[in-house]
Amino acid sequence: MFVLVNLKTYPCDPVAVAEAVRDVNETTDARLTVAPPAAHIERVAETGAETWAQHVDPIDHGSNTGHTLAEHVADAGAVGTLINHSEQRLKLADIDGAVQAAERAGLETVVCANNPAQIGAAAALGPDAVAVEPPELIGTGTPVSQADPDIVEDAVDAAASVDADVSVLCGAGISTGDDVVAAGDLGSEGVLLASGVAKADDPEAALEDLVAPL
């Protein structure tokens, strides 16, 4: 089970959360990763936690002031990146370009989408994984696997019909180990979560509870 903790721009200590991810990862068969803001990628990667970027732009080296170059996040220590998170939406052509940029830099890719139809379109672009995240559930504490399990199952089917090699993850409202188990039961190979760990008083305890049922 793949577990990605997205720190967004929450006022947490990214190094402390990364250390918790690293330590708990050593106790479980799940694959725990963390996605800090771009400015903290190098510090987080130095902890030994598997580190991902939250976003890369569909650009190459050149005149791109204010953009995030895939090679830069890779050089800082990231091994993968999210693309098209609901808080950083892209046009389809730009998603395609961002996937290609990430692959050029040797980064794994997870393309986020709102619904099964978008999952099918994203899977056609050849990322390593897609993640279905209904935006209305993000940050609510109500997991998509509970609010609308059909979305997860339909997303799995949509991706498989396009490219069986593309893994399907789910996110939005994931905060407990039971949520992770439920996601797996619906066919998801992993989860994305944020506030359940990033805003926890004790991130390590939150992570331990998350992986305990696995």
Side-chain angles (χ1 to χ4, degrees):
M1 181 65 71
F2 178 84
V3 178
L4 186 144
V5 180
N6 180 6
L7 301 187
K8 303 191 176 184
T9 57
Y10 288 132
C12 60
D13 181 344
V15 170
V17 177
E19 290 172 343
V21 168
R22 175 200 64 202
D23 293 346
V24 176
N25 186 65
E26 294 175 355
T27 70
T28 177
D29 291 334
R31 177 186 173 191
L32 272 59
T33 68
V34 60
H40 297 303
I41 287 174
E42 186 167 3
R43 295 171 59 217
V44 164
E46 288 173 351
T47 68
E50 182 176 327
T51 304
W52 281 54
Q54 297 178 8
H55 168 79
V56 296
D57 284 304
I59 59 170
D60 203 338
H61 293 86
S63 303
N64 303 296
T65 302
H67 289 74
T68 302
L69 182 69
E71 282 82 358
H72 288 170
V73 300
D75 289 346
V79 300
T81 185
L82 298 176
I83 295 170
N84 195 49
H85 189 275
S86 64
E87 296 159 359
Q88 181 66 287
R89 300 298 302 277
L90 299 172
K91 296 178 181 179
L92 187 62
D94 289 336
I95 297 171
D96 189 17
V99 169
Q100 293 181 39
E103 292 177 347
R104 184 185 69 224
L107 298 169
E108 290 186 55
T109 51
V110 172
V111 175
C112 301
N114 292 351
N115 56 54
Q118 292 181 13
I119 285 289
L125 302 178
D128 295 293
V130 290
V132 60
E133 284 196 306
E136 65 273 14
L137 296 177
I138 292 176
T140 64
T142 301
V144 61
S145 56
Q146 174 182 318
D148 195 345
D150 288 346
I151 287 182
V152 181
E153 292 181 321
D154 291 348
V156 171
D157 290 342
S161 69
V162 174
D163 187 341
D165 292 331
V166 176
S167 301
V168 178
L169 319 177
C170 73
I174 304 293
S175 60
T176 71
D178 288 343
D179 297 340
V180 179
V181 170
D185 290 343
L186 294 170
S188 174
E189 296 181 44
V191 297
L192 310 183
L193 71 156
S195 58
V197 173
K199 298 173 73 172
D201 292 334
D202 186 340
E204 186 164 350
L207 285 165
E208 288 171 344
D209 290 344
L210 196 74
V211 302
L214 302 180

